Amino acid sequence: MKQTLQSILTASDAVLFPAISRNRSLNSVFCITESDVFRCNEEIAVFLQDPDFQNRLCKQDFVDVLFILKGNCICRFYKTDLAAPPESVFLSKHSFCIIPHQVIHSFSPDPDCQILHIFFKLDSLKSHYSDLISANNMLLLFCSNMLYRTHYWNYLYFSVSYTDKLDTLLAEMYEEFHHKQIFHQNMLYYSAGMLFTLMERQSLSHICVSPSNPLRLVRYDQIYSYICDNYPMTSARTIAEYFHISQSYLCKLFHENGTTVTTVIQEIRLQQARSLLEQSDLSVQNITELVGYHDLTYFIKLFKRYFSVTPYQYRKKYQSTKKLPQPTVT
């Protein structure tokens, strides 16, 4: 008979959150790193909540998807200023909560509360999240903001109907990680896709986020893709009009990602110009116009600032490199 998640986590050999040096803290915040929970080549880890972390201020450099299997828990989320009062969220039995990296938080569980943590490496989730999360809904929007914005202070939570399918899936993820049979990370990756799909089926109408930091209506990666497709003729004004947002909000969104609209457009245009210099015989004047500039002198100045050579020098250097005899392999 197949074990349920409840029977696994109440067993005497249930694996708690990994042992970590309790001295690693910064201004009373306990900092947990990827090396604390992931072994070599691991991208997903699954653990049961450790009672030692009760009421402890923590932050981690990976994403935490937690599930309340039994009992209730109060989670408190802090902004960078710990002097300000935190936002408190009551998580009941069969609730999910997604906590981005570097978000300071603490758990206050009931005595009988059981919490399952599914940890995702940030770079791995960024590479695969569009495959794992398929629907165009608030869950996708939250994950996109979480992965593509710097210093993203937010969290997301919702309750689900606890079905046999979900119980079996979570139990299998726990066992796959701790038994570590061959290709267990592959199994966890595909199980994660199923988990997010089950979330999407149930969470559309009652998903909740921080009331002080609502989700953005437009994602940064959406705008970036639009610029890549329309770089010769786009501008902050045309982008704002296309996405029905203000230019001030657009600039703020790019600022939060450590750049500006103008910088991104310029970089995409210049990279495309470099490709045209390498792959075509078009004149520099023609390339200037094709990538969206109308002043040749200005374009040459920008190109030299970005690549440290003029377009003419770049093409000459690239062509001479192609003509060099290639070494033979014996």
Side-chain angles (χ1 to χ4, degrees), residues 7 17 30-31 33 66 70 87 104 110 156 170 178 195 229 259 264 297 316-317:
S7 65
F17 199 83
F30 192 60
C31 303
T33 67
L66 65 91
K70 180 182 178 183
E87 288 186 6
I104 301 173
D110 291 347
L156 175 147
L170 292 173
H178 292 290
L195 177 61
D229 293 337
T259 186
V264 170
T297 302
K316 184 176 181 181
K317 183 177 179 181

Side-chain angles (χ1 to χ4, degrees), residues 42-303:
E42 288 183 344
E43 299 180 345
I44 302 174
V46 186
F47 290 99
L48 181 63
Q49 172 75 18
D50 190 335
D52 286 350
F53 283 85
Q54 182 171 330
N55 296 315
R56 182 189 290 269
L57 291 178
C58 300
K59 70 175 180 178
Q60 69 276 333
D61 59 2
F62 44 86
V63 176
D64 184 2
V65 177
L66 65 91
F67 178 70
I68 308 296
L69 177 63
K70 180 182 178 183
N72 304 306
C73 179
I74 295 177
C75 291
R76 296 179 176 86
F77 298 93
Y78 298 76
K79 294 189 176 181
T80 52
D81 183 6
L82 293 178
E87 288 186 6
S88 296
V89 173
F90 177 78
L91 298 178
S92 59
K93 179 181 178 180
H94 299 162
S95 293
F96 278 102
C97 183
I98 302 179
I99 306 176
H101 70 298
Q102 303 301 325
V103 173
I104 301 173
H105 60 280
S106 67
F107 300 106
S108 297
D110 291 347
D112 65 339
C113 182
Q114 288 181 317
I115 306 176
L116 183 71
H117 293 269
I118 305 173
F119 300 132
F120 294 85
K121 276 188 176 180
L122 188 65
D123 288 343
S124 174
L125 193 56
K126 185 178 292 187
S127 300
H128 301 306
Y129 90 101
S130 59
D131 296 328
L132 296 178
I133 306 170
S134 57
N136 185 20
N137 60 25
M138 195 173 292
L139 181 61
L140 177 64
L141 178 58
F142 173 84
C143 289
S144 180
N145 276 281
M146 173 178 68
L147 297 173
Y148 287 97
R149 290 178 55 198
T150 56
H151 309 297
Y152 185 54
W153 185 88
N154 211 343
Y155 53 89
L156 175 147
Y157 62 99
F158 52 90
S159 298
V160 296
S161 299
Y162 196 62
T163 63
D164 290 342
K165 182 178 289 187
L166 180 57
D167 181 271
T168 299
L169 180 61
L170 292 173
E172 288 177 348
M173 292 184 74
Y174 178 89
E175 290 190 302
E176 280 289 346
F177 180 72
H178 292 290
H179 290 169
K180 298 191 185 302
Q181 298 183 46
I182 187 170
F183 303 130
H184 75 282
Q185 284 292 308
N186 289 20
M187 294 294 291
L188 282 170
Y189 168 74
Y190 290 112
S191 295
M194 293 180 63
L195 177 61
F196 280 112
T197 300
L198 290 176
M199 288 180 181
E200 291 166 347
R201 284 181 173 180
Q202 299 196 43
S203 65
L204 293 178
S205 60
H206 50 271
I207 201 166
C208 301
V209 295
S210 165
S212 64
N213 195 23
L215 288 176
R216 306 295 190 186
L217 296 177
V218 179
R219 304 194 309 267
Y220 174 82
D221 60 328
Q222 284 180 313
I223 298 175
Y224 188 90
S225 295
Y226 175 83
I227 296 174
C228 289
D229 293 337
N230 300 276
Y231 64 88
M233 61 195 76
T234 197
S235 65
R237 181 182 60 81
T238 57
I239 294 170
E241 290 176 351
Y242 181 84
F243 287 100
H244 305 290
I245 57 178
S246 68
Q247 290 192 50
S248 60
Y249 173 75
L250 176 68
C251 293
K252 181 180 180 182
L253 186 59
F254 274 72
H255 178 73
E256 290 171 345
N257 284 272
T259 186
T260 66
V261 182
T262 301
T263 298
V264 170
I265 294 173
Q266 178 177 292
E267 289 176 350
I268 292 173
R269 286 177 172 178
L270 292 175
Q271 291 290 354
Q272 183 63 22
R274 182 175 67 170
S275 296
L276 290 172
L277 287 168
E278 295 174 355
Q279 301 169 14
S280 76
D281 295 323
L282 293 170
S283 68
V284 174
Q285 176 68 56
N286 286 341
I287 291 174
T288 300
E289 296 172 356
L290 283 173
V291 300
Y293 293 107
H294 303 289
D295 186 330
L296 177 60
T297 302
Y298 178 69
F299 169 72
I300 294 173
K301 182 179 180 181
L302 282 180
F303 192 97

Side-chain angles (χ1 to χ4, degrees), residues 305-319:
R305 184 190 305 166
Y306 198 82
F307 295 106
S308 301
V309 291
T310 68
Y312 305 95
Q313 292 168 336
Y314 181 87
R315 172 173 274 173
K316 184 176 181 181
K317 183 177 179 181
Y318 178 80
Q319 291 176 343

